[in-house]
Amino acid sequence: MSDKRGSRAADRTEAIMRTALELGEEIGYAKLSIEAVATRAGVGKHTVYRRWSSKGALFLDSLLSLNEAHLDYPDTGDVIADLRQQIHAAINLLDRAPVGPLYRALIGEALLNPQVAAALNDHFITPQAEKTVARLKAARDQGQLSPDFDLDLAMGILSGPLYFQALIIQKPLTHEYVDRVIDALFTGMGPRP
Amino acid sequence: MSDKRGSRAADRTEAIMRTALELGEEIGYAKLSIEAVATRAGVGKHTVYRRWSSKGALFLDSLLSLNEAHLDYPDTGDVIADLRQQIHAAINLLDRAPVGPLYRALIGEALLNPQVAAALNDHFITPQAEKTVARLKAARDQGQLSPDFDLDLAMGILSGPLYFQALIIQKPLTHEYVDRVIDALFTGMGPRP
Amino acid sequence: MSDKRGSRAADRTEAIMRTALELGEEIGYAKLSIEAVATRAGVGKHTVYRRWSSKGALFLDSLLSLNEAHLDYPDTGDVIADLRQQIHAAINLLDRAPVGPLYRALIGEALLNPQVAAALNDHFITPQAEKTVARLKAARDQGQLSPDFDLDLAMGILSGPLYFQALIIQKPLTHEYVDRVIDALFTGMGPRP
Amino acid sequence: MSDKRGSRAADRTEAIMRTALELGEEIGYAKLSIEAVATRAGVGKHTVYRRWSSKGALFLDSLLSLNEAHLDYPDTGDVIADLRQQIHAAINLLDRAPVGPLYRALIGEALLNPQVAAALNDHFITPQAEKTVARLKAARDQGQLSPDFDLDLAMGILSGPLYFQALIIQKPLTHEYVDRVIDALFTGMGPRP
DNA sequence: TGGTAAGCGAGACGGTACGTCCTGTCTTGCA
DNA sequence: TGCAAGACAGGACGTACCGTCTCGCTTACCA
């Protein structure tokens, strides 16, 4: 009853986002226009612009709508196992088709458009990082990590190489590579054996 | 004498790249058009298109032209000191104005345009990575690093967090952060001291 | 009231045609570009292309818009006097500035572009010829011309020499020349008196 | 021997004109560019521009080169028969493929480009008209036409309707129509039987 | 229940840039 | 030395989208 009001609006919103992802998969984010999304969705351009201020904003929302309830950290007590499990899930989702190429392009857009960058950080990157930090902090509080363990740095060392591999080197991420990174993080690559 | 041939062509090429950087600094890569570069450079559009197939390709070359002879690794015998010195130099160049914003945008473009990605990798990312790997290998050969030291992984752990910080989190890189990463790489952040 | 609808579209159409004629008079049809018309009219190029498929089509309409209600045949009962009167009016309009040069150029365009030729015939040449034929037919029906008088041929003999003079020889048409043609048409130039 | 000098230049000239006609037949005068002619002829653009100042000038020469020795008036003593014979020959050449469409287009060009108009008049229209006038004058001198027969007007009445039919109405010319025009010229279409 | 306003599709509009084509001029390098 | 080859500045082409703006039509909520 209560969601009857606005259900029409929600229908449009959902239809537009669905169409955006659909078209994105077909022709790629870069070649896509708001005009094309609106036409394909059977919607006036104004109806799109009323909801999103740019192609990047639309895509960010569209991708996030796929994401709900995913990528939450387990806490089994074993921080390393939990990190592995969660990061494997993340790259399964974000580095593989159909989301992978669109996520990559969205980050590209963010590097060109500060508004998109801010929104991406606020709605995805930062919350995700905070989950990682929170999980590490829990481990530290439980004494699994040393008291001076640098949480933010660890988060960077976990995420950085994966983004580097995926975005800069542009090779697919493997679970094996993830494991090597986690391993190195906790054991170091010490100058001497 | 010998560079008399083609000097006209080289003049245009240089003028266009110079103008591209100039305009890029003024209005940003995203707002820039090949049309505007051509006009400002006093050159026909075709003269630009004859040399570069896209805005991204032009910018890649333009940025690389600033780069020559920079960012070469020293070898003082102390691998950690050399890495620090070189990475500090790199972020001084690539993360700060005037190059920083343009380099960031160029990576954004590479994420949207596979041709630019390939060229960027071939002409900058890979050579640079190979220099890092070569320096690490020299250290390993000299016994400063353990014989099973994973060179590629180390390169990823050095570069990844910095790119992550600069591109994803979008906060300026500090020398202090670089040092923390290097430190963590070689000493680990082990679960127990 | 009723023309409230679409008045915006009609405004643009009229503004574009007016500008086209204006620019045409200033620099001549040949040197004119749709781009220049659009710019001068303060209109996007697409707004021109939406209405006309080529420069020729635009100019045809523009010239025709000047023409309304002109060039209608009188019927005073004296067919020769009526022809003279009407043809004198026609060449006053079509062979003299400002319309003359533009009309000449439009016919040139029609000779290069079949679509323009077809439109010109449909919207001007043929209707005008039919008026001449109709006036001659009325005269024939009234017995002023012999029953086997060849209407189409007469139309050709009236119009042809004038177009020939104006377009091919490219000398200005005089009323005196028109009169000689009319005279010859009806009295012949017989081999012997 | 003496024409050995310059034979190379004459070769180019001829090759360019031949290519121009060839390409003109294939894609039409309007779509043709000097660039395309030069490339197809295996000749530098400069070599074309050195000889002709515009596409129209090149085509005029090219068409005239086909024309040599054609379209000369016979004088059998019977002026009407001679006119018929000559005009039939003219329309066979000028109104039918392959020359017809190119000649039509050339006149179109002349209406847009005064230089071409002048050259066309000087090298083709006027000489041809003078031949007609000369033949009529001969007939008048021989008493076949009345002493006050208006030679120029007659020429206009002969040529005008044919050009009108071919260029304005854009219907193919028939010998029958030519005969009707000639007939009308000499007998009139008198208002009374 | 009828009136009214909000949302909507459709797409026109002024702009900007695209990437292509051709013009007429100007090198360059081969023969 | 004369030419093909084609680079060059410039201008226009016709197209694609941008983000804004009317236009009527459809809903759905209120009075």
Side-chain angles (χ1 to χ4, degrees), chain A residues 11-180:
Chain A
D11 282 357
R12 314 285 178 180
T13 301
E14 207 197 332
I16 294 166
M17 294 195 304
R18 191 169 41 245
T19 305
L21 293 172
E22 199 177 294
L23 258 177
E25 288 174 33
E26 287 176 28
I27 61 174
Y29 174 84
K31 294 186 181 169
L32 199 136
S33 64
I34 288 187
E35 194 132 23
V37 172
T39 300
R40 167 89 79 105
V43 135
K45 284 163 64 175
H46 196 55
T47 303
V48 179
Y49 280 109
R50 197 179 295 124
R51 289 166 169 74
W52 296 280
S53 63
S54 70
K55 185 169 76 150
L58 163 57
F59 257 76
L60 174 56
D61 270 16
S62 303
L63 284 176
L64 290 179
S65 75
L66 291 179
N67 233 7
E68 281 161 21
H70 292 346
L71 302 185
D72 270 330
Y73 266 89
D75 187 343
T76 66
D78 178 348
V79 66
I80 294 185
D82 289 354
L83 285 172
R84 287 191 60 222
Q85 195 270 312
Q86 203 272 349
I87 295 176
H88 287 182
I91 69 175
N92 283 347
L93 176 64
L94 299 176
D95 191 53
R96 281 143 174 68
V99 172
L102 295 176
Y103 184 53
R104 221 182 307 275
L106 184 62
I107 294 176
E109 183 72 63
L111 290 173
L112 297 172
N113 181 340
Q115 290 192 18
V116 173
L120 175 59
N121 265 293
D122 290 351
H123 295 100
F124 186 70
I125 300 291
T126 299
Q128 214 57 33
E130 282 171 352
K131 286 184 198 165
T132 302
V133 169
R135 183 65 192 81
L136 288 169
K137 183 166 190 306
R140 190 178 65 181
D141 290 348
Q142 292 159 20
Q144 294 178 37
L145 301 172
S146 94
D148 60 350
F149 186 89
D150 184 335
L151 300 171
D152 284 327
L153 179 61
M155 204 275 301
I157 289 179
L158 281 172
S159 303
L162 304 181
Y163 276 96
F164 184 69
Q165 193 77 4
L167 303 181
I168 309 297
I169 307 289
Q170 308 225 21
K171 287 195 211 137
L173 290 171
T174 62
H175 289 186
E176 186 268 339
Y177 185 71
V178 173
D179 292 347
R180 282 160 65 203

Side-chain angles (χ1 to χ4, degrees), chain C residues 85-105:
Chain C
Q85 195 270 312
Q86 203 273 346
I87 296 175
H88 286 182
I91 67 174
N92 283 347
L93 177 64
L94 299 176
D95 191 55
R96 281 143 175 70
V99 172
L102 295 177
Y103 184 55
R104 221 182 307 275

Side-chain angles (χ1 to χ4, degrees), chain B residues 4-163:
Chain B
K4 195 68 163 291
R5 149 205 354 250
S7 70
R8 204 166 60 120
D11 282 358
R12 315 289 175 174
T13 301
E14 208 197 330
I16 293 166
M17 295 195 304
R18 192 168 40 244
T19 306
L21 293 172
E22 199 178 295
L23 259 178
E25 288 173 33
E26 287 176 28
I27 61 174
Y29 174 84
K31 294 186 181 168
L32 197 137
S33 66
I34 288 188
E35 194 132 27
V37 173
T39 301
R40 168 91 76 105
V43 137
K45 281 163 71 171
H46 192 51
T47 301
V48 180
Y49 281 110
R50 196 179 293 123
R51 290 167 167 73
W52 297 279
S53 62
S54 67
K55 187 170 73 150
L58 164 56
F59 256 75
L60 174 55
D61 270 15
S62 303
L63 284 175
L64 290 178
S65 75
L66 291 180
N67 231 9
E68 280 160 23
H70 292 349
L71 302 185
D72 270 330
Y73 267 89
D75 186 344
T76 65
D78 177 349
V79 65
I80 294 184
D82 289 354
L83 285 171
R84 287 189 60 220
Q85 195 271 312
Q86 203 273 348
I87 295 176
H88 288 182
I91 67 174
N92 283 348
L93 177 63
L94 299 176
D95 191 54
R96 280 142 175 69
V99 172
L102 296 177
Y103 184 55
R104 223 182 306 274
L106 183 62
I107 294 176
E109 183 71 63
L111 291 172
L112 296 174
N113 181 340
Q115 290 192 19
V116 174
L120 176 59
N121 264 293
D122 290 351
H123 295 100
F124 185 71
I125 300 292
T126 299
Q128 214 57 33
E130 282 170 353
K131 286 185 198 164
T132 301
V133 169
R135 182 64 192 82
L136 289 168
K137 183 166 189 305
R140 189 178 67 181
D141 291 347
Q142 291 160 19
Q144 295 177 35
L145 300 171
S146 97
D148 59 350
F149 186 90
D150 185 334
L151 301 170
D152 285 327
L153 179 60
M155 204 276 301
I157 289 178
L158 281 171
S159 304
L162 306 180
Y163 276 96

